[in-house]
Amino acid sequence: MFRDSVLAGPVLRRGVTALAVAAAATMFVGTAATAEPAAVVGEVSADSIAAARAQAIGTTVTVVGTATTPSGVFESSFYDKGFGLQSGNSGIYISDPNNSGIALGDQVQVTGVLADQEGLLVVRPTAVEVIGTTTQISPARLPLNAIGEGSEGRLVTVSGIVSGPVVDDLPYGHKILVSGVDGNTVIFVNTQTGIDVDAIAVGRPITVTGFSGQYASTYEVLPRSEADVQQGFTGSLSFGS
């Protein structure tokens, strides 16, 4: 299973079938944790997502946070109807096989098992409960070279120059390489977002808000809708942000 560099031209995002992914999910859930699983308690700490991210794969966790992506918006490449969840500066993806109908700003409590999904840390839920609504999470403005393990799971905004043609990776979506003085990052546009990639031109500045994710060794920003992709530099950061 691999994915070539964006600069190498169009390649398939996933080298496995949905059946294989389902089998992998079963394997992850059934694998014994390398550390003693954390007990699930009635009261969840305010930093539950940060605490969960520090646990071993296979640990059962309970997390509470605000939904930063709606259910299913990344389905074409994640093979599920999951959603992003964030609390403070920590976020995580909930790899939900069911459509829980989560909307932006929903406050959600999730119990499930930590798993590695092609490099991305996820929770495979056994219980999903909407416990309220709150103010939507504001994205963190980050430089391109800050998109990595430290930003994974968070809602972020980056700016740069479109440095290559849009790569057709259908049916999964499209890849866009954005570069600046401090490096580059990949923007991955899932088909469910309805984003018009034809309007994205090489050499033009762009500002993108989205979920900070990972596929294999590539870190990505995944926008959620057309509103997340803006032509030009917006906000306070300059070129190469």
Side-chain angles (χ1 to χ4, degrees):
M1 292 182 288
F2 65 91
R3 190 170 91 202
D4 293 341
S5 165
V6 170
L7 298 179
V11 293
L12 288 181
R13 178 177 174 83
R14 306 298 191 201
V16 295
T17 64
L19 182 60
V21 172
T26 302
M27 177 185 69
F28 284 131
V29 172
T31 301
T34 56
E36 185 69 21
V40 178
V41 295
E43 184 175 347
V44 183
S45 67
D47 60 349
S48 59
I49 295 178
R53 294 192 65 88
Q55 303 303 309
I57 297 298
T59 302
T60 296
V61 296
T62 294
V63 294
V64 170
T66 302
T68 55
T69 76
S71 290
V73 74
F74 301 148
E75 185 176 7
S76 60
S77 65
F78 283 17
Y79 301 122
D80 59 39
K81 297 182 183 295
F83 53 94
L85 201 64
Q86 185 169 330
S87 177
N89 290 326
S90 295
I92 199 164
Y93 184 76
I94 310 302
S95 181
D96 190 0
N98 304 310
N99 187 354
S100 296
I102 303 301
L104 295 178
D106 281 350
Q107 192 171 21
V108 188
Q109 178 170 302
V110 177
T111 296
V113 178
L114 289 174
D116 183 302
Q117 183 168 297
E118 300 289 357
L120 180 68
L121 182 66
V122 305
V123 176
R124 301 197 188 279
T126 55
V128 176
E129 180 184 3
V130 177
I131 58 176
T133 57
T134 187
T135 304
Q136 292 187 27
I137 296 289
S138 296
R141 292 297 305 252
L142 296 179
L144 294 172
N145 61 3
I147 301 304
E149 199 65 33
S151 67
E152 186 182 286
R154 298 174 62 190
L155 189 65
V156 301
T157 297
V158 295
S159 295
I161 298 292
V162 178
S163 53
V166 175
V167 176
D168 181 340
D169 202 7
L170 294 173
Y172 312 106
H174 293 83
K175 293 183 288 189
I176 305 157
L177 185 64
V178 175
S179 301
V181 295
D182 56 1
N184 58 71
T185 198
V186 174
I187 308 300
F188 193 86
V189 179
N190 282 266
T191 57
Q192 286 81 12
T193 64
I195 295 170
D196 181 12
V197 295
D198 291 337
I200 298 172
V202 176
R204 296 187 63 181
I206 192 173
T207 298
V208 178
T209 294
F211 179 84
S212 180
Q214 181 180 0
Y215 174 72
S217 61
T218 301
Y219 292 99
E220 308 170 322
V221 175
L222 297 94
R224 305 158 296 174
S225 68
E226 192 81 47
D228 279 342
V229 180
Q230 301 292 321
Q231 300 290 337
F233 297 125
T234 65
S236 59
L237 297 183
S238 60
F239 168 73
S241 66

